[in-house]
Amino acid sequence: MPLIPKGIVKKISQRYIAGDSIADAIRVAKQLESVNVVATIDVLGEFKTLKEQVEREKKETIRLLHAIKEHQLKSYLSIKLTSIGMDIDEDYCFENLLEIVTIASEEGIFVRLDMENSPYTSKTLDMYRKIREKGFSNIGVVIQAYLKRSEADIQSLLEYKPSIRLCKGIYVESADIAFKDPDHIRTNYKKLYHLLIENGAYSCLATHDVALIDYCLQDIEKQQFSKEQFEFQMLLGVKEEERTKIVQKGHTMRVYIPFGEDWYGYSTRRLKENPQIALYVTKALFRLG
Ligand SMILES: Cc1cc2nc3c(=O)[nH]c(=O)nc-3n(C[C@H](O)[C@H](O)[C@H](O)COP(=O)(O)OP(=O)(O)OC[C@H]3O[C@@H](n4cnc5c(N)ncnc54)[C@H](O)[C@@H]3O)c2cc1C
């Protein structure tokens, strides 16, 4: 990664990141809404260890909530708890989250807690439960199909009738706690999909894996699940043709829009963490060249 010039990383990232500012995120969300795609918007930033960084991040997040409301977008917010103080102090992080979820609730906006690497799994689910127990329902979590614990985690969340984004998982985790084989991860994804949708959880199917998408689509049709029970989600700039096909079938499609000045750190960390994505970058590099 250090060998790839910053300018090239920025060029490649442009496909995946809306830009530096709230205005960029709103512009991209509007473009998507014009083709019947909704969004979840993320202020880039994670693993913040200084309170002034966290306060900046929180302020930008709150400005984003107001902008979503002002522009009457159907989009909502995605947020990483390490961007709002999880690595500083858990009570401080909870206070920040509570403030954000309260404002979002007043604005009629949903908040999705992204799932980070395994040291944060239990902490993130605990924060979710604490917010739900305060009476807020405009919050959801993410479950990663590569984690062996995920089935038990879903079981423990079902009582909340939760909204859950189901993804494979992006971080590098040890074989002790995570499935490593792509087929095992896919098999577990299918199992968790059934567990969610058949038990009344709102199921957000976040994947670009066409085999998995087709599997879910066939099952949804067979079991005649209503459109109020699920949606599909994809990342900005990925598999746009597949995205269009799903929209044309009349299903809800939500695209994850990251934006912010932290684009370089975010992009390089993602690339380092997942060699598969590094492969996409290499391919993109050659296409650029
Ligand atoms: C909306 C959304 C939210 C997410 N939130 C989280 C989260 O909170 N925590 C977490 O750990 N992970 C999250 N992820 C990432 C996820 O866990 C996977 O790492 C990522 O989606 C790739 O897995 P896949 O299911 O698409 O399958 P893969 O088998 O990895 O990909 C299937 C195909 O899609 C294409 N593709 C996938 N990703 C890319 C890419 N970046 N660039 C270009 N082509 C690509 C490739 O053609 C690939 O062959 C999220 C993903 C999405 C879509």
Side-chain angles (χ1 to χ4, degrees):
M1 270 309 300
L3 296 177
I4 303 180
K6 201 168 173 177
I8 301 274
V9 176
K10 177 142 197 177
K11 198 151 194 187
I12 296 161
S13 304
Q14 273 167 359
R15 189 174 144 201
Y16 304 112
I17 294 173
D20 289 346
S21 68
I22 289 179
D24 291 322
I26 297 292
R27 175 182 43 80
V28 173
K30 279 188 177 172
Q31 279 164 3
L32 288 170
E33 289 202 6
S34 73
V35 289
N36 289 327
V37 173
V38 287
T40 179
I41 307 178
D42 170 48
V43 181
L44 284 171
E46 56 195 318
F47 307 120
K48 299 291 181 207
T49 50
L50 298 174
K51 280 197 175 176
E52 56 259 40
Q53 295 172 323
V54 168
E55 293 303 320
R56 258 204 313 275
E57 192 89 4
K58 185 172 74 176
K59 220 165 129 191
E60 186 75 343
T61 302
I62 292 169
R63 283 183 54 221
L64 171 65
L65 291 173
H66 294 322
I68 292 174
K69 169 85 174 172
E70 187 193 323
H71 292 271
Q72 300 178 332
L73 296 174
K74 293 183 193 130
S75 306
Y76 62 61
L77 177 76
S78 278
I79 190 162
K80 291 183 176 59
L81 290 177
T82 63
S83 77
I84 52 163
M86 183 59 102
D87 282 339
I88 298 173
D89 175 71
E90 286 181 31
D91 289 340
Y92 170 64
C93 179
F94 180 71
E95 288 309 314
N96 288 331
L97 179 63
L98 186 59
E99 187 180 341
I100 289 166
V101 173
T102 303
I103 294 170
S105 169
E106 287 161 5
E107 309 273 39
I109 299 169
F110 189 83
V111 177
R112 171 85 47 199
L113 300 182
D114 281 347
M115 188 56 81
E116 299 176 75
N117 43 336
S118 55
Y120 301 101
T121 313
S122 294
K123 291 176 181 182
T124 304
L125 298 181
D126 287 349
M127 289 274 176
Y128 169 77
R129 292 187 182 95
K130 272 173 80 178
I131 295 282
R132 288 299 303 265
E133 275 149 29
K134 288 242 171 223
F136 291 96
S137 55
N138 62 321
I139 186 161
V141 275
V142 176
I143 290 286
Q144 295 153 324
Y146 65 9
L147 287 188
K148 295 177 183 171
R149 58 177 285 173
S150 287
E151 184 178 355
D153 283 337
I154 292 179
Q155 295 284 7
S156 78
L157 291 168
L158 286 174
E159 64 174 293
Y160 294 96
K161 289 242 171 276
S163 167
I164 294 187
R165 174 196 296 156
L166 181 61
C167 64
K168 287 185 182 175
I170 186 89
Y171 302 89
V172 176
E173 300 289 0
S174 97
D176 295 344
I177 61 163
F179 301 110
K180 299 302 247 182
D181 177 62
D183 284 336
H184 285 164
I185 298 171
R186 210 174 275 125
T187 302
N188 202 42
Y189 192 105
K190 291 178 185 171
K191 186 176 177 183
L192 301 181
Y193 152 78
H194 284 288
L195 189 58
L196 288 171
I197 202 159
E198 289 163 15
N199 286 286
Y202 184 73
S203 311
C204 307
L205 307 168
T207 179
H208 317 94
D209 183 332
V210 177
L212 273 182
I213 293 171
D214 286 347
Y215 178 89
C216 295
L217 279 171
Q218 277 171 24
D219 185 70
I220 283 164
E221 207 167 300
K222 190 168 118 207
Q223 301 212 53
Q224 299 196 320
F225 290 118
S226 93
K227 295 194 192 304
E228 279 67 53
Q229 289 171 274
F230 67 91
E231 66 182 45
F232 288 88
Q233 296 190 352
M234 289 190 177
L235 300 174
L236 185 67
V238 180
K239 292 265 181 195
E240 290 170 3
E241 277 177 31
E242 198 60 34
R243 184 174 93 192
T244 305
K245 280 191 214 156
I246 296 172
V247 175
Q248 283 169 348
K249 287 186 202 297
H251 300 302
T252 301
M253 169 59 72
R254 189 176 304 278
V255 163
Y256 189 99
I257 304 181
F259 80 94
E261 287 168 6
D262 251 5
W263 63 268
Y264 184 70
Y266 174 86
S267 309
T268 50
R269 271 196 299 276
R270 287 288 91 79
L271 297 171
K272 276 188 209 153
E273 273 159 5
N274 191 333
Q276 222 186 335
I277 293 191
L279 182 70
Y280 305 140
V281 172
T282 315
K283 283 187 193 159
L285 253 178
F286 284 111
R287 277 200 300 271
L288 283 174

